Amino acid sequence: MNATSPTLAATLLPQAGHIPVMLAEVLEYLAPADGEAMLDCTFGGGGYTRAILGAAACSLWAIDRDPDAIARGNALRTALENHGQGERLHMLHGGFGGMAALAQAAQAPAFNGIVMDLGVSSFQIDEAERGFSFRHNGPLDMRMEKSGRSAADLVNTATEQELADIIHFYGEERHARRVARAIVTARAQEAFTTTLQLAELVRATVPHDRSGLDGATRTFQGLRIAVNDELGEIERGLTQALELLAPGGRLVVVSFHSLEDRLVKRAFQRATGRDVSFSRHDPRAAMSHGTESAFKTLTGKAVRPGDTECRINPRARSARLRALIRRPDTAPSSVVES
């Protein structure tokens, strides 16, 4: 472990209230080593970053689109500077869908390890003023970058059909049309401004879920994904992450719902030459099997968290981890300047 002093070890401990999901598995597949360059695509509370820096004498670049997360990362860098190790951490402000440009601007090398946690930061969920949670009343916001169109803007101006599509496709809510109709009817009387206002309407609109899932869960998920273009960001990020890996580099992705995991699974299938989108009668299918891919998977199927972790951290229950490696004899894309 790189943390040779008790005070530095304490600096690299996770912050109170922040429990990184599947941390042991992330470190196992990421396998950071001394002298390597690592990339944490979603700094959030810094749980993965701290653990990676504590596991090996490596350098790490961390990305986040949330200015609050960047402030937390800069505070960690200052703490590392007090131990003479500030140069090990580099904070990059932006979405991971633009990681190639961010890495190039920072003159980062090709990365030996990249981790992507696709979930919403626990800090964003727990801070009512960010407007992500249906359990805490706050402004109906949900913007990760604190700029652009908010959830309130979307809920109060989108057509009934647009809302139904968002809630159905992104929230996977079976009663999306009913919810959209209720929103449009209610906003004609009073605009939506708070999370509790919307959550109570949705709960009163959808049937009780026998699984115990809060009735507002899927609608809030759909709106959050739409506000932040999360699926588009994931697709762009996965493509660029593969390009940024050094020979022998590992990519580890943790997803939290089926829409995310499906994108990761398909990206990995394409990268490893197992693209199932072609019919077996399509000539492109035969061509894709004729050459060895530059990548191979490290996880045969998605890895799930253990029962103990799920009991300690309920947010881990829906997590899925997938990992792959760039073959040592292949070169990364030229988008990265070494």
Side-chain angles (χ1 to χ4, degrees), residues 121-142 193-200 203 214 216 220 315:
S121 166
S122 57
F123 286 91
Q124 293 171 338
I125 294 174
D126 294 338
E127 294 172 2
E129 62 271 19
R130 299 300 303 272
F132 283 90
S133 177
F134 46 80
R135 301 188 188 280
H136 309 291
N137 195 28
L140 189 57
D141 194 320
M142 301 191 192
T193 58
T194 70
T195 54
L196 186 60
Q197 185 184 3
L198 177 61
E200 289 180 340
R203 290 173 184 139
D214 190 296
F220 269 63
R315 288 176 179 168

Side-chain angles (χ1 to χ4, degrees), residues 265-333:
K265 182 178 180 180
R266 288 176 179 171
F268 278 25
Q269 287 173 332
R270 289 193 296 270
T272 57
R274 296 183 296 113
D275 191 343
V276 296
S277 62
F278 296 146
S279 162
R280 60 189 175 90
H281 302 294
D282 190 320
R284 290 174 296 176
M287 291 171 61
S288 69
H289 291 293
T291 59
E292 185 178 69
S293 168
F295 303 91
K296 66 176 180 179
T297 57
L298 297 174
T299 50
K301 59 181 180 179
V303 178
R304 300 288 302 276
D307 293 338
T308 300
E309 178 175 5
C310 292
R311 285 195 299 270
I312 295 173
N313 183 15
R315 288 176 179 168
R317 288 178 297 191
S318 61
R320 305 284 189 280
L321 180 151
R322 296 182 187 273
L324 58 64
I325 186 171
R326 177 183 283 278
R327 296 182 189 276
D329 55 348
T330 62
S333 167

